[in-house]
């Protein structure tokens, strides 16, 4: 990047997306798109906003007892996906 007549140093990016880059939001969306299929494969639903993902499950009354286990398995697989893709899941928010 050129600023005030000076070039910034070139840095190799091994993984992830440089914070503050112009393409950051688009690259982040592409980079994290695979997590959606993990969630959907568990029969759960999701809402995405910026770098937040909300996973939820809607079940009929007669399936309420199995819902916590389904959601837990989904979250475990999401955590694995995050780890494999060098992302961190915030346990305080999960």
């Amino acid at each position: 990047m050129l600023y005030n007549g000076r070039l910034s140093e070139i840095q190799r990016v091994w993984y992830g997306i440089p914070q503050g880059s112009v393409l950051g939001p688009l690259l982040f969306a592409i980079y994290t798109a695979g997590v959606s299929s993990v969630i959907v494969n568990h029969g759960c639903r999701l809402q995405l906003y910026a770098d937040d993902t909300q996973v939820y499950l809607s079940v009929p009354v007669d399936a309420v007892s199995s819902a916590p286990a389904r959601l837990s398995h989904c979250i475990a697989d999401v955590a694995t996906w995050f780890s494999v893709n060098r992302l961190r899941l915030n346990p305080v928010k999960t």
Side-chain angles (χ1 to χ4, degrees), residues 71-83:
L71 198 53
S72 291
H73 291 300
C74 178
I75 297 301
D77 285 351
V78 166
T80 299
W81 187 92
F82 268 56
S83 178

Side-chain angles (χ1 to χ4, degrees), residues 5-91:
R6 296 186 62 197
L7 283 174
S8 58
E9 290 184 36
I10 295 174
Q11 298 290 323
R12 184 175 296 254
V13 178
W14 296 101
Y15 56 87
I17 297 162
Q19 192 169 3
S21 69
V22 174
L23 291 175
L26 175 62
L27 293 174
F28 183 80
I30 293 168
Y31 188 70
T32 60
V35 76
S36 300
S37 61
V38 173
I39 294 167
V40 171
N41 285 342
H42 282 277
C44 296
R45 297 181 184 190
L46 71 151
Q47 288 185 339
L48 303 168
Y49 181 77
D51 64 346
D52 289 331
T53 303
Q54 180 182 28
V55 179
Y56 62 97
L57 184 60
S58 177
V59 296
V61 173
D62 60 344
V64 167
S65 62
S66 66
R70 278 180 58 195
L71 198 53
S72 291
H73 291 300
C74 178
I75 297 301
D77 285 351
V78 166
T80 299
W81 187 92
F82 268 56
S83 178
V84 166
N85 289 280
R86 299 180 183 227
L87 294 170
R88 237 182 266 159
L89 193 61
N90 186 343

